[in-house]
Amino acid sequence: MRSLALLLLLGLALAQVRLGPLPPLQGPPGAYLSLSVEAEGQGEVRFRLLLPEGWQALSDTREALLEGKGVVAFTLRVPEAPAGTRAPVAVVAHQGGVEVARSQGVVEVLARTELRISVPERLEAPLGAPFEFPLYLVNASNHKETVLLRAEGAVFQIYLNPQSLDLDPGEARSVRVTVVPQGEVSSGYPFYLKLRAEPRSAPQAAREVGALILFKDPLMASGRGKDPELTLALRMGVGLGLALTPGAAPAFSLGYTLAPTLSGALSDYYTATLETAPF
């Protein structure tokens, strides 16, 4: 055993390959990081990047012919991991199948703040009553986040329940949005509402979604519509005439005219008017 250890030490001395320290690296999930290490020595050297399980590199091996100093670079991708995770990495140099040098370091996972929000695509509200619909939230961050909610540019009263909530990484929740119309709203009126979700730790990562609400008459929605309405109108005219003829008695005349009109709504979409000639 002692002779084997001496041979290994001799081999390391003859190899004369040295690796510099690995620089500290950090990045959020999904980021690509470049890891470079300075190498010094002579001859053909095979370098290998060692990563924890779940971590990936574009290529984990490099081969180089050293004639003094050089730089060996690897590119790795930060996986989905909680913020603050510290992953050990190492670059190992081999000559003739024997490890001759090793350099170790750490990659830290930074926080990534990301929200996903959505509302139902089709929103129809009845006239004359408050309307509720859900706002869906997903915390796609790699850390716990407090989300603040608000409505923007609304001419109606808008209530959000709750107005803020705490979400764990990957957690999905829904928020109840209540719209209270103000004033007179006609059937077919489209109402646009913008909703905003803002992470407390990173306001710049806020997300917005627009909701288009179409107000409809419940009777029209049920297919009943309005009942037909008809109106009968009579126009009446009366005329009185006097004829004077020399040598004759005055002659009086009396006349009248009637003009009935029938009009109204036959359905929600059609109206009609019927008139007759005066008689």
Side-chain angles (χ1 to χ4, degrees):
M1 291 294 293
R2 185 175 180 180
S3 59
L4 179 60
L6 290 175
L7 289 175
L8 290 176
L9 291 174
L10 180 60
L12 290 175
L14 293 176
Q16 294 184 347
V17 175
R18 291 183 294 274
L19 295 176
L22 294 182
L25 293 178
Q26 53 183 202
Y32 287 89
L33 305 179
S34 179
L35 186 150
S36 300
V37 59
E38 187 177 273
E40 182 179 3
Q42 298 291 329
E44 293 185 357
V45 184
R46 185 171 183 269
F47 301 92
R48 184 180 178 190
L49 175 63
L50 302 181
L51 296 172
E53 184 178 356
W55 289 67
Q56 293 180 340
L58 297 185
S59 176
D60 61 359
T61 58
R62 293 283 190 273
E63 292 184 358
L65 178 61
L66 290 180
E67 295 180 354
K69 292 184 178 181
V71 175
V72 181
F74 297 89
T75 300
L76 57 93
R77 185 176 187 272
V78 181
E80 294 293 331
T85 299
R86 294 174 60 85
V89 297
V91 174
V92 180
H94 292 83
Q95 278 189 321
V98 178
E99 179 179 329
V100 293
R102 176 184 290 249
S103 181
Q104 296 178 324
V106 172
V107 180
E108 182 181 2
V109 180
L110 298 181
R112 181 198 61 197
T113 304
E114 181 181 348
L115 298 178
R116 299 171 189 165
I117 62 175
S118 62
V119 295
E121 293 184 3
R122 186 178 180 86
L123 294 172
E124 294 184 355
L127 292 176
F131 174 66
E132 294 183 355
F133 66 91
L135 168 67
Y136 302 109
L137 282 167
V138 178
N139 181 19
S141 311
N142 64 340
H143 58 92
K144 188 173 183 177
E145 185 60 71
T146 298
V147 183
L148 309 177
L149 303 167
R150 70 172 184 265
E152 297 184 342
V155 296
F156 295 159
Q157 289 185 351
I158 308 298
Y159 299 97
L160 301 173
N161 186 20
Q163 294 183 339
S164 66
L165 64 168
D166 296 328
L167 296 176
D168 290 326
E171 184 179 1
R173 295 272 296 277
S174 64
V175 174
R176 185 169 71 251
V177 183
T178 303
V179 179
V180 182
Q182 304 293 311
E184 184 176 350
V185 180
S186 59
S187 180
Y189 173 73
F191 172 64
Y192 181 78
L193 173 64
K194 182 186 291 185
L195 299 169
R196 179 182 176 89
E198 182 177 297
R200 176 172 289 172
S201 67
Q204 70 277 9
R207 291 291 181 268
E208 295 179 346
V209 64
L212 183 62
I213 304 171
L214 187 64
F215 286 90
K216 285 193 172 184
D217 191 324
L219 295 179
M220 295 178 62
S222 63
R224 287 178 52 190
K226 297 180 179 179
D227 294 332
E229 296 180 358
L230 297 177
T231 302
L232 176 63
L234 290 176
R235 292 203 304 260
M236 179 180 293
V238 178
L240 179 63
L242 173 62
L244 298 177
T245 303
F252 295 92
S253 64
L254 178 66
Y256 67 91
T257 58
L258 290 176
T261 301
L262 184 65
S263 62
L266 303 180
S267 70
D268 296 326
Y269 305 100
Y270 298 99
T271 61
T273 300
L274 177 62
E275 296 185 358
T276 63
F279 60 88

